[in-house]
Structure formats: structure tokens, C-alpha cells
Amino acid sequence: MSERIAMIGGVYSNHIALDATVKDIARRGADAVYCLGDLGAFGPHPDRVFPILLDNNIRVVQGNYDNSVGNGLDDCQCGYTDARDNYYAKLSYDYTLRNTSGEFRKWMKALPSQIKIELGAFRVLLCHGSPRKMNEFLWETTSPTHFLNKLCSDYNADIICATHTGIHWQRDLPGNRRFINVGVIGRPEHNGRTEVGYTMLEIEGSEIKSTYVPIVYDHQKLAAEMRDENLPEEFIETILTGWWTTCLEILPEKERRRGPY
């Protein structure tokens, strides 16, 4: 008998994509649904996200954005070092903080930084950036297999699932372990496509199956809402084209070379 969970990363206030994702998961079926954090940022109307999560019994890991908004901090703790990236991060964070209600700030403050579950014989750890640091960027091209395997050993996990980078990937590790970046649904993956996506994890006996599921949603509607809220045109361009125009300096060379900027 198999066990299956759905994992959503980086909502970034994209309530339209979140609604489409939840409906897709319901059609496919899952034993449980988890969100790995960063509920706000980038998109419009952050308070429209929370009812969808609550109404669908989605358990949520606290991301750096959620920690910052919940505690009323000065910035998003995104982990950027470039001045341009931080400029746009500040615009995004200030908008999200200003438009998140006190009720949901309190709710985000209480979210767990990790969730540990068992699927069959496998110990699964759900986190935002990495088990050791909420805003750590673990990229496919710069994360050695031996390091990922050590994270599994250090944190007593067979499968580690994270998000934060905005680009999905996964890797089999020695000892029938796996690291999975589940992707994000808040904005496209810097690939010239407007779709977003989530990951379905299924355990059947000793077999680990993890599948990235693309989601097509009304990105034109989201872009119009963003423009109505006076969010940066650079953000809107990403939604409409599928290419990142900000947060580029954090990208490793190979990931950055995929795009036009």
C-alpha cells in the first residue's frame, strides 16, 4: 500500500496559483498536503492566501518571510547579498507586511520551522531552506551529494524536502535517501514558461517516487492585480514572461545562464 503527500513551496502571495494547485491536488488525491513556507512576497493581496490554506487543512512550515512578517522584523531575511536584489526584496517585504492582517501575522509567528513525518519506513523532514538554516540556498549545481547525505545523517532523515531557491530539483543519495526541492508556486522558475508547480511524494514499499507537477493558472489575472497594487513592473514581467528580472545575483552561474538577463 502506498502513501502519498503533496508539497507546495513558495506561495509568494500568489493566491490564484495556490487555488489552482489545491484543486489539482484534490483531483490527483493525496493523504496530506504540506506547504514549506514563504506565504507572502512578490505578489498582491497576501491575506487571500491564508483562507485557502486553512480551509484545505494544509500544514505549513515557517519560511523566512513568515518569520519576519510574524515577528514584525525590518526585512525578509531572504539571504541576499546584492544591493539590487535587496532593494526589490525590501519593496516586496514592506508591501507584504503592510497588507497582512494582525490575525495572520500572529498565526505565522507560531508556525513550526520544521515538520517531521513518517511515510512507510521513511523518515521525512520538511523545512524551508535547509534543516540547519531557514534561509539557506541549496542549488542543484552547487550542493554536493556528500553534503546532502550528511544533512540526512545529521538530522535523522531519509528524505529532506525544502524550497526557498525558487527552482525545483531532486537527487538520489546513498542509502536509499533523497533530497527534494519541491519548487514554488509563487512565480515561474526562470525558464521562459509561465507555469508554476508543486511536488508529489509517494512511498511504496522501499521505493521513493517524487514527481514535479506543473500548474497552469491565470497568470494574466495575477499580473493585472499586481499592477493595480503598484507592485514593481519587474515583478510583473517575470509573471508574464517566465524569466526572472530580480533575485538574479543569488543564482549560481549555470542557473543564471538559462535566462536572457
Side-chain angles (χ1 to χ4, degrees):
M1 182 177 177
S2 65
E3 296 182 63
R4 182 162 58 167
I5 63 171
M7 296 177 293
I8 301 166
V11 180
Y12 305 157
S13 298
N14 191 341
H15 61 98
I16 300 173
L18 177 60
D19 183 64
T21 298
V22 168
K23 289 175 179 175
D24 188 81
I25 293 169
R27 285 192 295 268
R28 295 172 186 270
D31 298 311
V33 184
Y34 296 87
C35 177
L36 305 192
D38 275 3
L39 306 180
F42 204 77
H45 309 301
D47 267 12
R48 297 183 184 180
V49 165
F50 306 107
I52 300 173
L53 298 171
L54 296 173
D55 290 348
N56 290 280
N57 299 311
I58 298 174
R59 294 183 63 189
V60 182
V61 170
Q62 186 182 73
N64 53 279
Y65 232 90
D66 316 315
N67 180 275
S68 291
V69 173
N71 289 283
L73 303 184
D74 291 334
D75 62 59
C76 64
Q77 306 178 84
C78 292
Y80 302 137
T81 57
D82 178 73
R84 185 175 186 272
D85 287 351
N86 279 317
Y87 168 77
Y88 285 106
K90 180 65 173 170
L91 290 178
S92 176
Y93 179 69
D94 288 349
Y95 171 86
T96 303
L97 184 65
R98 188 168 61 249
N99 288 279
T100 302
S101 66
E103 175 188 3
F104 290 125
R105 289 192 198 186
K106 183 178 179 181
W107 180 78
M108 283 190 287
K109 184 177 181 178
L111 291 173
S113 60
Q114 297 180 3
I115 294 176
K116 295 182 178 180
I117 60 174
E118 292 187 1
L119 287 180
F122 292 88
R123 300 163 298 172
V124 183
L125 188 155
L126 311 178
C127 58
H128 183 69
S130 85
R132 65 180 189 173
K133 191 175 181 182
M134 183 180 289
N135 65 353
E136 182 170 14
F137 291 95
L138 297 182
W139 304 98
E140 181 175 18
T141 60
T142 58
S143 299
T145 296
H146 67 84
F147 165 70
L148 298 173
N149 203 39
K150 185 176 188 302
L151 284 180
C152 288
S153 296
D154 289 348
Y155 292 91
N156 299 311
D158 304 302
I159 303 170
I160 295 176
C161 304
T163 179
H164 190 55
T165 66
I167 299 177
H168 83 279
W169 61 280
Q170 60 178 290
R171 187 177 303 159
D172 289 331
L173 305 173
N176 201 20
R177 292 170 164 176
R178 186 169 297 182
F179 177 87
I180 304 168
N181 185 309
V182 307
V184 300
I185 63 165
R187 67 172 182 172
E189 289 207 338
H190 194 50
N191 57 8
R193 302 173 66 92
T194 58
E195 65 194 24
V196 293
Y198 70 96
T199 294
M200 194 77 79
L201 173 63
E202 184 173 3
I203 302 299
E204 188 166 1
S206 61
E207 187 176 1
I208 305 169
K209 301 178 182 178
S210 48
T211 305
Y212 181 74
V213 183
I215 293 291
V216 175
Y217 72 102
D218 192 345
H219 66 285
Q220 296 281 356
K221 181 179 179 182
L222 182 75
E225 289 188 7
M226 293 170 72
R227 192 165 281 123
D228 287 344
E229 290 295 293
N230 296 312
L231 288 166
E233 283 296 323
E234 289 83 356
F235 294 0
I236 297 166
E237 182 180 344
T238 293
I239 294 298
L240 293 175
T241 66
W243 296 116
W244 292 7
T245 59
T246 61
C247 308
L248 289 167
E249 294 302 325
I250 199 68
L251 281 172
E253 181 182 359
K254 289 184 179 179
E255 281 84 353
R256 183 167 182 172
R257 281 208 308 257
R258 299 172 186 169
Y261 301 107

